[in-house]
Amino acid sequence: WYQRRVHGIVKHINPRATDAYNYTTGQSKIQQGFLKDGYELISEALNLLNNVYGAMHPEIAQCLRMLARLNYIMGDHMEAMSCQQKAVLMSERVNGIDHPYTITEYTHLALYCFANTQVSTALKLLYRARYLALLVTWREPPELALIDSNIGLILHAVGEYDISLRFLEKALQLNLTYHGPKSLKVAVSYHLVARTQSCMGDFRSALTNEKETFTIYKTQLGEEHDKTKESWGVLETPDTAGCCPPEEDE
């Protein structure tokens, strides 16, 4: 005879605030292009979630992140940064500092800080997000390409071309590894590298990389697409196209 040990398994479902259905409705409005209506619905959902869950909850952090993004899209960068700061603090508390959601919150806050001309703060946040992403995964995840691209863009904006190029080349390498040589993400990376090389006076390398961008756009989007035409315009004037202020990449 022997004694069989039985271990119970406890299952549970996280309670949800069904009254705060306006969050889902707000997302639908945003997808339809009604940003102000979506903003009002999500703001109402935030109030309901605060009443149901209290001050700290993951769903409240998601609401704050969405409100921050809407404020950014509608041009209120200061309010976007304020909402995102709350989302970061809440995610650190409820999810943990090294949680993937918290790392994402850092990258979003960095974008809004940069939009408010807080360049040093934006770089610190991105460096922190990059460190945590490497620490958590023990390898180079595909999301690291976006972080490196954003770091490169900010450094490009302040004239640190040498360091910017290193991050942009690393982002290009990761995009090639994870998405393949014909991906549109790879095309964007080639374009960013080319612009930085053009600002540094390395026009030969800039032309080589921009040709890769043009080839991918022509293959994937066609000759008449705006991106293809834009890339062709860069090839015609490589000495000036690279020194334009870089676009912000979220």
Side-chain angles (χ1 to χ4, degrees):
W1 296 97
Y2 62 92
Q3 182 179 4
R4 181 178 297 175
R5 296 183 178 179
V6 179
H7 300 278
I9 299 176
V10 179
K11 295 184 178 180
H12 72 282
I13 299 176
N14 292 325
R16 297 180 63 87
T18 55
D19 293 337
Y21 65 91
N22 288 338
Y23 180 73
T24 304
T25 309
Q27 286 181 315
S28 300
K29 287 290 185 181
I30 293 167
Q31 291 174 356
Q32 296 169 9
F34 302 106
L35 299 181
K36 291 185 177 179
D37 293 338
Y39 185 89
E40 291 176 0
L41 288 168
I42 292 177
S43 297
E44 185 178 345
L46 178 62
N47 292 330
L48 290 170
L49 289 172
N50 277 314
N51 291 331
V52 174
Y53 292 133
M56 292 287 175
H57 194 273
E59 290 187 19
I60 298 177
Q62 292 177 12
C63 266
L64 288 168
R65 183 199 312 153
M66 182 61 71
L67 288 175
R69 179 174 293 184
L70 285 172
N71 279 307
Y72 178 77
I73 293 173
M74 294 188 293
D76 192 349
H77 296 163
M78 187 64 69
E79 185 63 24
M81 186 175 67
S82 176
C83 288
Q84 189 59 32
Q85 284 174 337
K86 297 175 184 177
V88 167
L89 292 172
M90 193 168 299
S91 185
E92 287 178 342
R93 290 285 188 87
V94 300
N95 296 319
I97 294 177
D98 57 351
H99 194 278
Y101 285 168
T102 306
I103 297 173
T104 302
E105 304 293 3
Y106 286 141
T107 59
H108 289 181
L109 181 57
L111 171 65
Y112 306 146
C113 287
F114 181 64
N116 285 283
T117 66
Q118 297 184 15
V119 177
S120 177
T121 304
L123 283 173
K124 288 178 181 178
L125 287 164
L126 287 173
Y127 289 144
R128 181 176 179 80
R130 190 180 196 277
Y131 167 74
L132 289 173
L134 290 171
L135 184 67
V136 170
T137 59
W138 290 89
R139 59 185 179 87
E140 295 176 336
E143 293 79 11
L144 194 65
L146 179 60
I147 296 175
D148 284 348
S149 294
N150 285 333
I151 293 174
L153 285 170
I154 293 177
L155 291 171
H156 186 290
V158 297
E160 296 288 344
Y161 300 128
D162 290 334
I163 309 175
S164 171
L165 182 61
R166 276 190 281 170
F167 279 101
L168 292 174
E169 287 177 338
K170 185 62 178 180
L172 172 60
Q173 177 188 340
L174 290 171
N175 281 327
L176 283 169
T177 301
Y178 287 106
H179 302 290
K182 300 301 180 182
S183 169
L184 294 178
K185 292 180 182 291
V186 173
V188 173
S189 288
Y190 273 123
H191 177 64
L192 295 178
V193 169
R195 290 204 302 184
T196 305
Q197 289 171 333
S198 179
C199 285
M200 297 171 65
D202 188 359
F203 301 122
R204 185 182 299 274
S205 298
L207 275 173
T208 301
N209 286 304
E210 191 60 40
K211 285 178 182 177
E212 295 288 345
T213 300
F214 175 75
T215 301
I216 296 173
Y217 281 153
K218 183 179 178 181
T219 303
Q220 299 292 338
L221 304 175
E223 295 184 1
E224 299 302 319
H225 195 275
D226 291 341
K227 289 290 186 182
T228 309
K229 294 179 180 179
E230 179 186 353
S231 181
W232 177 250
V234 173
L235 289 173
E236 290 183 326
T237 56
D239 54 332
T240 58
C243 293
C244 298
E247 300 174 358
E248 297 167 1
D249 188 9
E250 183 176 354

